[in-house]
């Protein structure tokens, strides 16, 4: 800020802090101060208000009242000029009919201009905004100021407006781009201008136009209260420390985009209160080199209307430290297949918490699609039962944890490693033959816990499908009710561990080991009221042939019904020759059939305690 401008402002505020003694001194000196100020009067020099200009009637009375208040504030602040500013300025603005809410001193001292002051013959409204911003840059440097767009007819802009450091452009007027520009542009071009801000502005944009583009490694960009109709997204190319709040976009391409190519870099973006409706593509599109992006409190409905896509798209080239929290993703409204969240190549350290994903398609719709990522944490997130796949991960994905919340559409893991699920699934009585959890095509070290209900036509967990099968997977502390089977291990499954399983009302077996499953450990399994409506047709545990190295311990099959209502089959059936099997602690409680069948087919095996009750 220039020296002469500071001097001019000081001339205005000086009478409130240190006016010369006048005839008003006596009146002010005899005024009774508040009790809280009395002890300090002896140490404080009493400074009177400046003489009032000769005015008539109510105007003079109003100024007199303001001057008396200013005197009281000077006493309370003991000559602290900054505190006098803080107390006095809101009162003068209120007297003028303006908003009197307290603002930081720095904001109070910023110069404010209206763009209409710069409208001249031959200069468009957009050029007037640019001239106002340039004026603040030339006069105040990095301190900047405010450009006000007062209420009025829409402002038409046909060329980018260059931003300047420290400048706030504030509405409420609407900005329009009346025709499609020859090339893509941003209404505001933030090229290396730090601390540029937009607030309370409406945009009605052409197809190739965005509200703002942030590049040139600009720091501290902020936007609040924007209303965007059509156009393209707020776009970050090279930026850091950006803050976006309370933004609503309708009918455009996206709301926020970042990182168009490998040379771009975006760091530390925080976006809260973001809404997007009827968008042609993704609501959030993060591509190359995005680090530390945090989105919360959002609502997105009817996105990817123009093509198959997703609502939130993360990755493509070295993205990390991304958090998505507390929002709604509604995948309805599109004729195309839409994923709620897609996390793809080169992405790591992503956290998804408190997100609700709803209204997908049974054919091709995916709630959360992970194609290539590491260290993904999902917590207290829900996906409803409308999607073909609620969660789908592909080869190259590792270290994923989903703990808390629910996924009522099928979870499919193909070729991924080190994934952990502790969630609930309710199939809603669907006749779909897709299992609640499916691990295969080379999946490694996948674990599942939680609750599965109402999947009568499909197993709760299928392990080992496809080329490569599944190795070292774990089912622990899982409760399954009303499914076809609790666990079905296919021939590509090796070293499966099942413990703490509670299966009730299975239509078929609680655990099925298909021929060729090797080195499976089953321990602490409770099967209640099994075999559906076909008496004794299906056991609690079935071993196919060549299931070598299987260990079964503490297996209980119980039928809680009485008389003819009992339909549970045996606790164990061995279908064919198996070697190296250990059986110990098998209990049949109130079963209408034998506790175990076909144990004589075990070769080189150990059979321990078998107990039948009832």
């Amino acid at each position: 800020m220039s020296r002469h401008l500071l001097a001019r402002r000081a001339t205005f505020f000086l009478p409130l802090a240190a006016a010369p003694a006048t005839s008003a001194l006596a009146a002010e000196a005899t005024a009774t101060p508040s009790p809280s100020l009395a002890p300090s009067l002896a140490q404080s020099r009493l400074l009177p208000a400046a003489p009032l200009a000769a005015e008539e009637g109510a105007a003079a009375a109003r100024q007199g009242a303001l001057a008396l208040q200013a005197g009281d504030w000077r006493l309370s602040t003991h000559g602290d000029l900054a505190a006098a500013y803080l107390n006095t300025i809101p009162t003068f603005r209120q007297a003028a009919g303006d908003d009197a809410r307290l603002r930081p001193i720095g904001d109070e001292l910023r110069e404010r201009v209206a763009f209409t002051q710069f409208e001249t013959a031959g200069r468009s409204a957009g050029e007037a905004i640019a001239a106002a911003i340039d004026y603040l840059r030339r006069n105040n440097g990095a301190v900047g100021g405010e450009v006000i767009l007062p209420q009025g007819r829409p402002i038409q802009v046909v060329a980018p407006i260059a931003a300047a450091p420290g400048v706030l452009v504030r509405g409420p007027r609407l900005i329009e781009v009346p025709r499609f520009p020859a090339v893509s542009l941003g209404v505001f071009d933030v090229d290396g201008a730090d601390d540029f801000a937009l607030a309370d502005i409406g945009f009605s944009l052409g197809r190739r136009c965005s509200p703002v583009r942030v590049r040139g490694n600009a720091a501290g960009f902020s936007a609040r209260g924007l209303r965007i109709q059509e156009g393209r997204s707020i776009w970050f190319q090279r930026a850091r420390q950006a803050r976006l709040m309370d933004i609503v976009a309708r009918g455009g391409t996206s709301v926020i985009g970042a990182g168009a190519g490998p040379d771009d870099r975006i760091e530390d973006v925080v976006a809260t209160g973001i809404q997007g409706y009827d968008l042609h593509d993704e609501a959030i599109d993060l591509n190359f080199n995005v680090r530390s992006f945090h989105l919360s409190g959002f609502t997105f409905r009817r996105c990817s209307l123009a093509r198959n896509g997703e609502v939130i798209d993360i990755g493509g080239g070295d993205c990390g430290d991304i958090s998505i929290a507390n929002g709604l993703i509604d995948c309805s409204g599109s004729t195309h297949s839409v994923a709620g969240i897609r996390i793809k190549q080169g992405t790591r350290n992503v956290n998804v918490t408190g997100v609700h994903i709803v209204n997908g398609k049974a054919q091709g719709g995916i709630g959360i699609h992970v194609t290539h990522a590491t260290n993904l944490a999902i917590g207290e997130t829900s996906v409803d039962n409308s999607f073909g796949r609620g969660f789908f991960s592909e080869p190259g994905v590792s270290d994923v944890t989903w703990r808390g919340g629910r996924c009522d559409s099928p979870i499919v893991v193909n070729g991924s490693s080190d994934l952990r699920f502790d969630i609930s699934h309710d199939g809603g009585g669907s006749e779909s033959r897709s299992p609640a959890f499916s691990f295969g095509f080379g999946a490694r070290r996948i674990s599942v816990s939680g609750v599965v209900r109402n999947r009568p036509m499909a197993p709760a967990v299928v392990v080992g499908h496809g080329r490569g099968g599944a190795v070292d997977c774990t089912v622990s502390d899982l409760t399954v009710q009303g499914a076809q089977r609790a666990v079905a291990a296919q021939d590509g499954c090796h070293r499966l561990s099942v413990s703490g399983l509670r299966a009730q009302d299975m239509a078929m077996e609680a655990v099925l080991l298909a021929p060729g499953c090797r080195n499976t450990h089953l321990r602490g399994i409770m099967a209640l009221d099994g075999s559906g409506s076909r008496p004794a047709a299906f056991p609690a545990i079935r071993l196919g042939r060549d299931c070598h190295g299987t260990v079964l311990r503490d297996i209980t099959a119980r039928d809680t019904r009485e008389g003819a209502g009992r339909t549970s089959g045996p606790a164990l059936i061995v279908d064919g020759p198996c070697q190296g099997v250990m059986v110990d602690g098998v209990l049949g409680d109130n079963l209408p059939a034998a506790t175990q069948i076909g144990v004589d087919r075990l070769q080189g095996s150990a059979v321990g305690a078998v107990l039948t009750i009832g």
Side-chain angles (χ1 to χ4, degrees):
M1 185 180 296
S2 61
R3 182 177 301 175
H4 70 276
L5 185 58
L6 286 172
R8 190 163 67 245
R9 293 181 179 178
T11 302
F12 174 77
F13 290 113
L14 188 58
L16 303 179
T22 68
S23 57
L25 176 60
E28 187 171 353
T30 56
T32 303
S34 61
S36 62
L37 302 178
S40 63
L41 290 179
Q43 293 82 21
S44 301
R45 181 183 177 189
L46 190 61
L47 299 175
L52 298 179
E55 295 192 18
E56 296 288 330
R62 184 178 63 182
Q63 281 206 7
L66 293 173
L68 288 176
Q69 292 181 49
D72 286 342
W73 284 323
R74 287 199 304 280
L75 289 174
S76 65
T77 59
H78 305 289
D80 185 345
L81 189 59
Y85 287 165
L86 185 62
N87 286 287
T88 304
I89 294 171
T91 302
F92 277 95
R93 279 199 278 104
Q94 189 175 35
D98 295 333
D99 184 2
R101 288 177 297 180
L102 293 180
R103 298 180 182 178
I105 295 170
D107 287 351
E108 288 292 355
L109 297 181
R110 286 157 57 93
E111 184 173 6
R112 296 186 183 90
V113 296
F115 88 99
T116 51
Q117 298 172 236
F118 297 84
E119 286 186 310
T120 60
R123 178 182 283 173
S124 68
E127 291 170 338
I129 297 174
I133 294 174
D134 185 62
Y135 164 81
L136 294 173
R137 178 189 62 79
R138 288 184 288 105
N139 281 270
N140 302 331
V143 174
E146 292 186 19
V147 176
I148 310 300
L149 312 182
Q151 193 73 300
R153 68 181 185 277
I155 299 168
Q156 294 192 349
V157 175
V158 296
I161 298 172
V167 172
L168 166 65
V169 180
R170 181 158 54 90
R173 194 176 296 199
L174 176 69
I175 293 178
E176 290 183 340
V177 176
R179 56 183 172 83
F180 295 157
V183 295
S184 300
L185 63 83
V187 173
F188 291 95
D189 182 16
V190 184
D191 187 0
D194 293 347
D195 301 318
F196 181 76
L198 301 172
D200 306 322
I201 302 174
F203 292 90
S204 180
L205 304 175
R207 178 175 56 87
R208 299 171 62 90
C209 183
S210 65
V212 59
R213 290 194 170 189
V214 186
R215 55 198 182 98
N217 204 32
F221 170 77
S222 65
R224 183 192 73 244
L226 304 188
R227 300 296 180 262
I228 306 166
Q229 187 72 32
E230 296 296 336
R232 307 187 77 169
S233 64
I234 296 172
W235 189 259
F236 294 95
Q237 185 173 346
R238 291 189 69 88
R240 51 196 171 89
Q241 298 172 351
R243 302 294 181 263
L244 308 176
M245 182 174 65
D246 185 25
I247 294 173
V248 180
R250 299 179 183 273
T253 302
S254 302
V255 185
I256 301 171
D263 293 331
D264 295 347
R265 181 170 296 276
I266 298 89
E267 297 181 3
D268 188 15
V269 177
V270 178
T272 62
I274 310 299
Q275 300 179 50
Y277 305 95
D278 304 305
L279 302 175
H280 301 300
D281 288 323
E282 306 93 343
I284 306 296
D285 185 16
L286 310 181
N287 295 295
F288 288 88
N289 299 334
V290 179
R291 305 284 182 85
S292 187
F293 181 95
H294 307 284
L295 172 69
S296 64
F298 57 89
T299 300
F300 300 133
R301 299 181 185 272
R302 301 180 299 278
C303 301
S304 284
L305 301 182
R307 60 180 179 85
N308 292 342
E310 47 278 330
V311 179
I312 297 179
D313 184 11
I314 303 171
D318 194 21
C319 293
D321 301 321
I322 313 292
S323 68
I324 310 294
N326 303 327
L328 171 67
I329 297 175
D330 186 341
C331 297
S332 64
S334 178
T335 59
H336 303 276
S337 296
V338 179
I341 299 174
R342 185 184 182 196
I343 302 170
K344 56 190 182 183
Q345 184 175 0
T347 304
R348 61 186 183 277
N349 302 336
V350 178
N351 188 291
V352 179
T353 306
V355 178
H356 302 280
I357 306 174
V358 300
N359 297 331
K361 289 184 178 297
Q363 298 297 324
I366 303 175
I368 299 175
H369 187 186
V370 189
T371 63
H372 194 289
T374 61
N375 194 16
L376 166 63
I378 305 172
E380 301 303 330
T381 291
S382 66
V383 178
D384 72 5
N385 62 0
S386 61
F387 294 87
R389 286 169 288 189
F391 177 93
F392 179 39
S393 71
E394 300 186 29
V397 176
S398 64
D399 196 12
V400 176
T401 301
W402 187 344
R403 182 169 289 112
R406 60 191 302 150
C407 184
D408 293 337
S409 295
I411 294 99
V412 180
V413 177
N414 286 347
S416 306
S417 62
D418 298 298
L419 276 68
R420 298 163 291 276
F421 299 91
D422 186 0
I423 57 176
S424 66
H425 172 97
D426 192 330
S430 169
E431 295 185 0
S432 169
R433 297 185 181 276
S434 298
F437 295 87
S438 179
F439 313 140
F441 288 98
R444 300 288 187 272
R445 297 180 298 279
I446 314 299
S447 68
V448 57
S449 304
V451 178
V452 176
R453 296 188 178 92
N454 302 321
R455 203 85 184 166
M457 303 298 291
V461 182
V462 171
V463 186
H465 66 272
R467 179 179 295 179
V471 178
D472 295 327
C473 294
T474 301
V475 178
S476 63
D477 300 321
L478 178 67
T479 298
V480 182
Q481 184 173 10
Q484 183 194 62
R485 295 182 174 98
V487 179
Q490 299 186 354
D491 58 359
C493 177
H494 299 287
R495 296 194 297 274
L496 170 67
S497 174
V498 180
S499 64
L501 172 67
R502 181 183 176 89
Q504 185 171 2
D505 299 328
M506 298 297 102
M508 301 174 76
E509 300 92 351
V511 178
L512 170 65
L513 301 185
C517 289
R518 305 292 180 89
N519 302 314
T520 302
H521 284 235
L522 308 178
R523 182 167 185 169
I525 296 175
M526 170 74 74
L528 299 174
D529 302 334
S531 193
S533 60
R534 289 168 287 187
F538 299 99
I541 311 292
R542 183 185 292 273
L543 270 64
R545 62 181 300 129
D546 299 327
C547 290
H548 305 317
T550 302
V551 176
L552 300 95
R553 288 183 174 175
D554 303 328
I555 310 297
T556 300
R558 176 175 296 143
D559 200 319
T560 62
R561 298 161 294 197
E562 298 296 334
R566 297 181 301 167
T567 62
S568 296
L572 172 64
I573 290 182
V574 181
D575 285 338
C578 299
Q579 297 181 0
V581 176
M582 177 179 293
V583 179
D584 188 25
V586 177
L587 171 65
D589 185 359
N590 196 35
L591 302 181
T595 299
Q596 57 185 18
I597 298 175
V599 177
D600 55 326
R601 297 168 180 162
L602 301 178
Q603 302 171 1
S605 301
V607 178
V610 177
L611 180 63
T612 301
I613 302 177

